[in-house]
Amino acid sequence: MMQVREAMSSQVLVVGPEHTLRQAARMMSARGVGSAVVIDPESEGVGIMTERDVLKAIGAGLDCDTERTGAHLTWDVVYAGPEWTVAEAAAAMARGGFRHLVVLDGGEVAGVISVRDIMRVWAESQVAAAG
């Protein structure tokens, strides 16, 4: 059974809570990723900001040049372990209704696994099985 460490992206975009939404959106767009991990040096927490968070802020008429990422992210992140199976990660996403999980290894951010990652490895496994 494939583990999260094999499917996740270890190239994580990290932004600070003081970045503006536009800055974060630009970085996400440039990297081709749908989320950014937000590490607040003032707290122990790790948050995640997704495309959906940016969309909600714009839809609410907020100014992306003044709004900070720290006010528009999820702090109660559900974390995955690198040794989780991909199926366990998919089940956690389905339960929580989200598309990204932060992967923590020994308290450090090791990566992010997204629905896109899960679809990619599932499709690859189907092609290999049909082989």
Side-chain angles (χ1 to χ4, degrees), residues 7 9 14 18-19 23 32 36 45 47 53 61 63 66-67 75 80 85 94 101 104-105 115-116 118 122-123:
S9 170
V14 176
E18 293 303 314
H19 279 95
Q23 288 171 323
D53 296 318
D63 183 347
T66 59
E67 291 292 320
W75 285 110
T85 66
L101 293 177
L104 286 187
D105 191 1
V115 169
R116 183 177 293 144
I118 291 173
W122 178 82

Side-chain angles (χ1 to χ4, degrees), residues 19-25 54 57-58 61-68:
H19 279 95
T20 66
L21 291 184
R22 186 177 310 280
Q23 288 171 323
V54 176
I58 293 170
L62 300 176
D63 183 347
C64 293
D65 291 312
T66 59
E67 291 292 320
R68 306 291 173 190

Side-chain angles (χ1 to χ4, degrees), residues 21-77:
L21 291 184
R22 186 177 310 280
Q23 288 171 323
R26 275 197 185 122
M27 288 185 274
M28 289 163 62
S29 178
R31 294 275 292 272
V33 296
S35 67
V37 169
V38 182
I39 297 179
D40 186 348
E42 301 296 309
S43 77
E44 296 296 306
V46 173
I48 188 166
M49 191 182 81
T50 67
E51 301 163 312
R52 190 177 292 176
D53 296 318
V54 176
L55 188 66
K56 283 181 188 171
I58 293 170
L62 300 176
D63 183 347
C64 293
D65 291 312
T66 59
E67 291 292 320
R68 306 291 173 190
T69 60
H72 296 278
L73 49 88
T74 303
W75 285 110
D76 55 339
V77 176

Side-chain angles (χ1 to χ4, degrees), residues 110-128:
V112 172
I113 186 166
S114 68
V115 169
R116 183 177 293 144
D117 296 323
I118 291 173
M119 287 186 344
R120 175 179 43 79
V121 298
W122 178 82
E124 288 168 359
S125 73
Q126 297 305 299
V127 169

